[in-house]
Amino acid sequence: MTAAPALAATQDTNPERKKPKPPAVMSSVGGSLLAKPGTQVRLGPGAPVLPKDVSGRSWIVADAESGEVLASHNAHWRLPPASTMKMLFADTLLPRLPKTTVHKVAPEELAGVGAGSSLVGIKENHTYSVHDMWLGVFLRSGNDAVHVLSAMNGGIPRTVADMQAHAEELQALDTKVVSPDGYDAPGQVSSAYDLTLIARSGMQKKDFREYCSTVSADFPGEQKKGKKRGTFKIQNTNRLLTGASGISPYKGIAGVKNGTTTHAGSTFTGVAERNGKVLLVTVMNPDSGESQAVYKEAGRLLDWGFAASGKVKPVGELVPPKSAEPASSGDPEQVKDGQVGKDGQVKPVAASQAGSSGMGIALGVAGGVLVLLAAGAFLIKRRWPLPDRVRRAPRP
């Protein structure tokens, strides 16, 4: 194995442009290399070099099932997350709100939606199912839907507190929640590492998987007196999923979430499967000037990850939730298939999270043998539960 230095992906080709610099020392959650600024990768024989045309201030490529971080760049740099924060919102609230519940929107529930927010088109004094509103969150990144669902959860302050507590449980310790929708707010930050960790947790929930992989849906329209209520079509804003705005759909893509704000720039976390291998990638704030750069750079990193799988030494790992940490350390009887190392650290594949009903494990595991560790808090999945339509998608 050889250690590769920070590559051209991290170099500024315009000497007149001053880029902000990451902290000299960042969080070491997931491994000591992830605390270092710059690009971290350990190439083995036959491994491809990282793509040069990646300008994200922070990014990460990880194996979704083993939890191994294949490569990263400023993985723990705390940056504004934009609407990728909605992944944490959904992972926190999905188990709490039955999707068949129907809710009439009160005017005050929409009063705090920020100016210029992305909206799905929810109207006051109209009724919507929770299912409708989650479609609005995932497909249109609707801040109006986020505010109504937050109201159903007890209000914005309680929802922010719940999200913060869940982030800490996941060990997403770079994340500071101020607004549940990701709207720019002072002090609101996350990191490429945390967003990847959050997406991995969310993908354990069947409803989360289905919503984030939905390309388009019908959304309830305005109710006019004396007329049947109509619907209008909404489409997912994830360009790698839909192929919109000149971006080709990425084969095997299964979500997860994109976002753009003034302070965050563009951010994106995606999950994709190819030949049985499932990867997660996050890119934060690319500044190359390339059109739709966040999607193109994510696609390049996914391509690299699939080509490099098995040919690189991990630079870190996606850690399990706090409640999933093993009670005992270094038990040689637990060392199976790389699940628990001799140092007592779990090599996580998938955190045990509640399904859409808040009970049980994630559904849809194909051919999965579940291995129970540490009093049932952490489940190892031998196959990642992606939506069936993604498993059947043609591969390049």
Side-chain angles (χ1 to χ4, degrees):
M1 297 289 181
T2 58
L7 302 181
T10 70
Q11 297 174 358
D12 192 347
T13 57
N14 183 353
E16 297 180 358
R17 182 173 61 229
K18 293 183 179 180
K19 292 183 178 181
K21 294 182 179 180
V25 178
M26 293 170 280
S27 168
S28 61
V29 172
S32 59
L33 287 178
L34 301 182
K36 298 181 179 180
T39 300
Q40 307 301 323
V41 65
R42 295 195 281 182
L43 303 176
V49 297
L50 284 163
K52 295 181 179 180
D53 42 0
V54 177
S55 66
R57 289 183 184 176
S58 176
W59 54 258
I60 193 170
V61 184
D63 186 307
E65 294 181 303
S66 71
E68 294 177 344
V69 176
L70 306 184
S72 69
H73 178 69
N74 301 326
H76 281 291
W77 191 357
R78 304 179 78 195
L79 298 167
S83 284
T84 49
M85 182 65 80
K86 290 183 174 77
M87 295 189 297
L88 179 60
F89 173 75
D91 196 37
T92 304
L93 263 64
L94 266 170
R96 303 179 178 202
L97 304 173
K99 63 182 178 182
T100 55
T101 300
V102 175
H103 177 75
K104 185 175 182 179
V105 178
E108 59 269 21
E109 294 172 354
L110 297 174
V113 177
S117 288
S118 53
L119 306 171
V120 67
I122 287 178
K123 296 184 180 298
E124 60 185 49
N125 299 318
H126 282 54
T127 59
Y128 301 86
S129 69
V130 167
H131 172 72
D132 292 332
M133 288 188 280
W134 281 123
L135 287 171
V137 170
F138 279 90
L139 273 66
R140 296 302 305 166
S141 205
N143 289 5
D144 46 358
V146 170
H147 277 248
V148 176
L149 290 166
S150 295
M152 296 178 68
N153 186 57
I156 297 294
R158 176 177 172 178
T159 298
V160 167
D162 289 345
M163 291 170 63
Q164 190 66 58
H166 188 51
E168 292 169 6
E169 159 63 16
L170 295 178
Q171 301 201 64
L173 304 182
D174 299 324
T175 299
K176 172 64 177 177
V177 185
V178 179
S179 65
D181 50 22
Y183 191 81
D184 284 336
Q188 180 153 269
V189 290
S190 190
S191 66
Y193 182 89
D194 279 15
L195 293 175
T196 307
L197 206 65
I198 292 163
R200 189 172 185 239
S201 174
M203 291 297 287
Q204 303 309 294
K205 297 175 173 64
K206 181 177 184 293
D207 286 346
F208 189 107
R209 296 195 302 272
E210 294 300 331
Y211 286 133
C212 78
S213 65
T214 297
V215 174
S216 64
D218 293 323
F219 194 81
E222 184 177 0
Q223 178 67 67
K224 296 182 179 180
K225 188 175 181 179
K227 294 185 178 180
K228 182 179 179 181
R229 189 176 184 182
T231 62
F232 59 91
K233 188 74 69 175
I234 58 174
Q235 180 168 289
N236 203 309
T237 55
N238 179 349
R239 306 290 190 264
L240 288 186
L241 188 67
T242 65
S245 302
I247 300 295
S248 298
Y250 193 89
K251 293 182 179 180
I253 194 76
V256 175
K257 191 73 187 73
N258 56 297
T260 302
T261 65
T262 301
H263 293 293
S266 294
T267 62
F268 176 72
T269 297
V271 61
E273 187 265 351
R274 185 179 297 176
N275 298 325
K277 179 66 66 176
V278 186
L279 299 181
L280 280 160
V281 64
T282 295
V283 177
M284 301 186 77
N285 201 353
D287 64 356
S288 66
E290 182 181 22
S291 175
Q292 306 293 330
V294 76
Y295 300 108
K296 293 177 180 177
E297 294 186 11
R300 290 166 191 148
L301 289 171
L302 283 169
D303 285 343
W304 174 84
F306 287 122
S309 180
K311 301 174 183 177
V312 295
K313 186 176 180 180
V315 296
E317 66 176 6
L318 301 177
V319 296
K322 287 182 179 179
S323 62
E325 292 179 337
S328 60
S329 176
D331 182 354
E333 295 301 317
Q334 288 185 310
V335 182
K336 298 177 182 179
D337 301 327
Q339 295 154 10
V340 180
K342 293 181 179 179
D343 58 358
Q345 296 298 309
V346 174
K347 306 303 180 185
V349 175
S352 172
Q353 297 292 335
S356 60
S357 65
M359 299 178 65
I361 61 172
L363 304 177
V365 182
V369 177
L370 302 181
V371 180
L372 195 60
L373 295 178
F378 192 69
L379 294 176
I380 300 297
K381 292 182 173 61
R382 294 187 182 275
R383 191 161 178 83
W384 191 254
L386 292 183
D388 288 342
R389 61 177 172 274
V390 176
R391 289 288 187 194
R392 294 193 298 267
R395 306 287 176 249

